Amino acid sequence: MARNWPFQTVLVANRGEIAVRVLRTVQTLGLKGAVVYHAADRNAPAVRMADHAVEITGSTPVAAYLDGAQILAAAKAVGAGAIHPGYGFLSENAGFCRAVEADGLVFIGPTPEQIELMGDKVRARTFVEKAGFPVAPSAIEDDDPSTFVERARQVGTPLLIKPSAGGGGKGMRIVRDLSVLETEIERARSEGQRYFGDGRLYVERYIENPRHIEVQVLGDSHGNVVHVFERECSVQRRFQKIVEETPSPALTWELRNRICETAAGIARSAGYRNAGTVEFIFGQGGEFYFLEMNTRLQVEHPVTEETTGKDLVHEQLRIAGGEELGFAQTDISSQGHAIEFRIYAEDPGRGYTPTTGPILTLHPPTGEGVRWDSGVVQGGEVTAAFDPMIAKLIVRGSDRSDAIARADLALAQTVLLGCKTNTAFLRRLIAHPAFVAGDVHTGFLDANPQIAADPELPPETLHALLAAASLSTRPMRDAADAVPDLHAAIGEWRN
């Protein structure tokens, strides 16, 4: 099979679970898989399973994975003909995409022009609005910086201030009192400059208690574009997703068709190539507005794979190889329900503070409809060098209730000792009546802080746990087992 591809080796310019995920498909297709790795990841699963692994260096581990020149040199060293960027790091870096293509390699993603268009939120929003698709009422600083504050006031409250560049919730501010508007604008500008090197802003009407719904799209270089249905990503903390599912419990079939066709229309207008995700803010009354487009594979793509049977990495490789999609919109169907849980090394009860430590024991869940995508193994270590997400648990059921029941069992079966994770928190979350009813929004966790708080243990349980923990340590164990000197002096004598 591999001889039919225009490239024989694919280098994954990433780490962790996504590197493992991409390598799995690459090798299944008969291609060779290569990875780059920092010394902090030398024993990672992706490094072990790759056909080639090249060490890269940097002032920090993250800096190494952002060094495009080093990554290109690694690709050449192993004879790679294509680079898959995964998500994060250089996946939406137009300059890196251009450098890959300039070196005669295939970038498994969209064109650099498409990355630039959708990577700038202001440009993307303007493009979408001119193409006739729905956007929220807003004001853009670039249109006339001198009148930006006044135009922002006219949009009205509540107001959301956003940096033009970047993502992940950084620099975003919600304003409900116009008396603090100018102060919040300056704070947002400062954060945008600090995180992205770009202080430009725009504001838009903030939709109270909105849902976050995104649509997976695929486009080839022959002009074909389809959607692969939607994902609901409303359960978030600090503008970061925690739980994603498909289909969305908020959508009727009519709304589902409208929002998915809108996403496909936006991608079609941009002549989009490869996999991408169009994201929307969805209001309580059924209205929806374009939020942004991510020009890469999403963390949450497995739920789409589980309900449609489409291997999205395989489709990315085919498109990058110059093939047509080979299927029409009517050929894509979705069956059952799937939910993904991001397993974080963090303490939800302490403000979702990241945790670190050795992975002393790891027993992933198993069973029908259970998928575990992970970049860590027993014997490894969770450090503060990278994002705290260490694995993804994906469950599939015949319907949403079935998926939730399977998820609860799978989370209960998940054992990871050595550092605190959010699995117990996730069980509390999916047991909440509002989640069970599908009645969630992006502020759901803020409105229900008790879900994050660890339940108070009964005194007798706490004492038993402390005793067990104490007796599991060597000094305490030795002290408990030691024979007092007086008794030891008796020797073998017995009465």
Side-chain angles (χ1 to χ4, degrees):
M1 182 183 294
R3 66 179 180 273
N4 297 321
W5 293 86
F7 39 79
Q8 300 300 306
T9 300
V10 177
L11 181 132
V12 183
N14 219 296
R15 62 174 300 277
E17 65 84 18
I18 189 60
V20 173
R21 162 70 192 93
V22 174
L23 284 172
R24 185 181 300 121
T25 290
V26 165
Q27 293 174 336
T28 298
L29 294 173
L31 298 165
K32 297 292 185 182
V35 293
V36 290
Y37 70 95
H38 183 271
D41 286 328
R42 64 167 59 91
N43 296 316
V47 176
R48 296 178 184 179
M49 71 183 291
D51 298 289
H52 306 284
V54 181
E55 184 174 357
I56 54 177
T57 60
S59 57
T60 65
V62 169
Y65 289 101
L66 291 172
D67 191 330
Q70 261 195 105
I71 292 170
L72 279 169
K76 294 175 186 176
V78 299
I83 292 180
H84 193 301
Y87 54 71
F89 294 131
L90 295 171
S91 61
E92 294 178 284
N93 187 305
F96 178 66
C97 177
R98 283 196 175 90
V100 169
E101 294 179 347
D103 274 6
L105 280 67
V106 176
F107 182 80
I108 301 173
T111 67
E113 293 77 18
Q114 290 163 352
I115 294 174
E116 287 175 333
L117 170 63
M118 292 302 175
D120 185 316
K121 290 184 175 63
V122 171
R123 284 188 63 197
R125 185 191 182 287
T126 301
F127 172 82
V128 168
E129 185 175 26
K130 287 183 177 178
F133 298 104
V135 297
S138 64
I140 300 171
E141 185 173 26
D142 279 358
D143 289 347
D144 184 0
S146 65
T147 64
F148 177 56
V149 173
E150 184 55 38
R151 287 184 291 117
R153 291 182 186 280
Q154 292 174 6
V155 172
T157 57
L159 197 63
L160 182 62
I161 307 171
K162 303 171 78 172
S164 178
K170 293 181 174 63
M172 294 171 62
R173 328 282 298 188
I174 299 172
V175 176
R176 291 186 168 85
D177 180 355
L178 290 178
S179 67
V180 300
L181 176 61
E182 293 184 65
T183 299
E184 293 300 302
I185 283 176
E186 288 308 314
R187 288 178 177 173
R189 179 176 288 112
S190 176
E191 288 186 27
Q193 187 65 46
R194 181 166 74 252
Y195 287 114
F196 314 118
D198 186 343
R200 294 176 304 136
L201 304 172
Y202 70 103
V203 299
E204 65 183 19
R205 177 70 58 79
Y206 179 68
I207 309 300
E208 292 283 8
N209 295 330
R211 301 178 86 111
H212 186 151
I213 296 177
E214 64 186 28
V215 179
Q216 178 70 58
V217 296
L218 290 171
D220 62 26
S221 55
H222 305 274
N224 302 302
V225 174
V226 297
H227 70 75
V228 197
F229 298 105
E230 89 288 357
R231 297 183 288 256
E232 167 116 14
C233 310
S234 298
V235 180
Q236 305 177 3
R237 51 100 168 103
R238 298 173 181 165
F239 297 103
Q240 290 279 6
K241 303 164 188 173
I242 299 177
V243 178
E244 301 98 344
E245 61 183 303
T246 188
S248 166
L251 300 183
T252 63
W253 277 103
E254 178 186 4
L255 271 173
R256 188 184 198 198
N257 184 64
R258 279 178 53 203
I259 200 167
C260 288
E261 286 298 329
T262 297
I266 291 171
R268 199 171 288 118
S269 297
Y272 193 77
R273 184 190 74 186
N274 215 268
T277 304
V278 183
E279 306 201 356
F280 298 93
I281 287 295
F282 185 87
Q284 297 293 315
E287 70 280 13
F288 60 89
Y289 303 106
F290 172 78
L291 177 62
E292 63 183 357
M293 184 174 187
N294 290 311
T295 54
R296 55 170 167 80
L297 195 66
Q298 291 278 79
V299 175
E300 56 272 20
H301 76 274
V303 292
T304 297
E305 295 183 325
E306 292 299 313
T307 53
T308 64
K310 293 288 184 188
D311 182 327
L312 294 178
V313 175
H314 184 184
E315 298 306 325
Q316 284 191 291
L317 292 166
R318 288 182 56 250
I319 294 166
E323 294 184 28
E324 291 192 56
L325 285 178
F327 48 83
Q329 188 65 64
T330 53
D331 297 322
I332 306 171
S333 62
S334 176
Q335 303 294 326
H337 198 98
I339 311 175
E340 176 181 290
F341 301 87
R342 301 192 188 192
I343 308 299
Y344 285 108
E346 67 181 16
D347 187 345
R350 297 186 177 183
Y352 305 97
T353 304
T355 60
T356 60
I359 302 175
L360 303 173
T361 301
L362 176 59
H363 295 303
T366 59
E368 183 181 356
V370 174
R371 170 175 165 179
W372 177 263
D373 284 12
S374 174
V376 298
V377 292
Q378 185 169 302
E381 185 171 1
V382 177
T383 72
F386 302 106
D387 181 272
M389 191 186 80
I390 54 178
K392 300 185 307 196
L393 169 64
I394 305 98
V395 293
R396 185 187 70 254
S398 58
D399 56 25
R400 191 169 186 269
S401 296
D402 185 36
I404 291 174
R406 293 188 183 195
D408 185 61
L409 178 60
L411 287 165
Q413 291 176 340
T414 302
V415 177
L416 194 157
L417 302 180
C419 68
K420 187 177 180 64
T421 69
N422 65 337
T423 53
F425 154 75
L426 291 170
R427 290 192 72 194
R428 296 193 295 271
L429 168 64
I430 63 175
H432 193 283
F435 183 88
V436 173
D439 184 18
V440 295
H441 50 82
T442 57
F444 176 69
L445 288 177
D446 289 335
N448 294 276
Q450 75 281 1
I451 300 175
D454 287 320
E456 189 170 331
L457 292 174
E460 58 273 18
T461 302
L462 179 60
H463 293 160
L465 289 172
L466 289 172
S470 297
L471 291 173
S472 69
T473 63
R474 174 62 65 181
M476 287 295 294
R477 184 72 257 171
D478 290 344
D481 291 341
V483 178
D485 291 342
L486 180 63
H487 293 163
I490 298 174
E492 297 297 323
W493 182 84
R494 294 291 184 272
N495 185 2

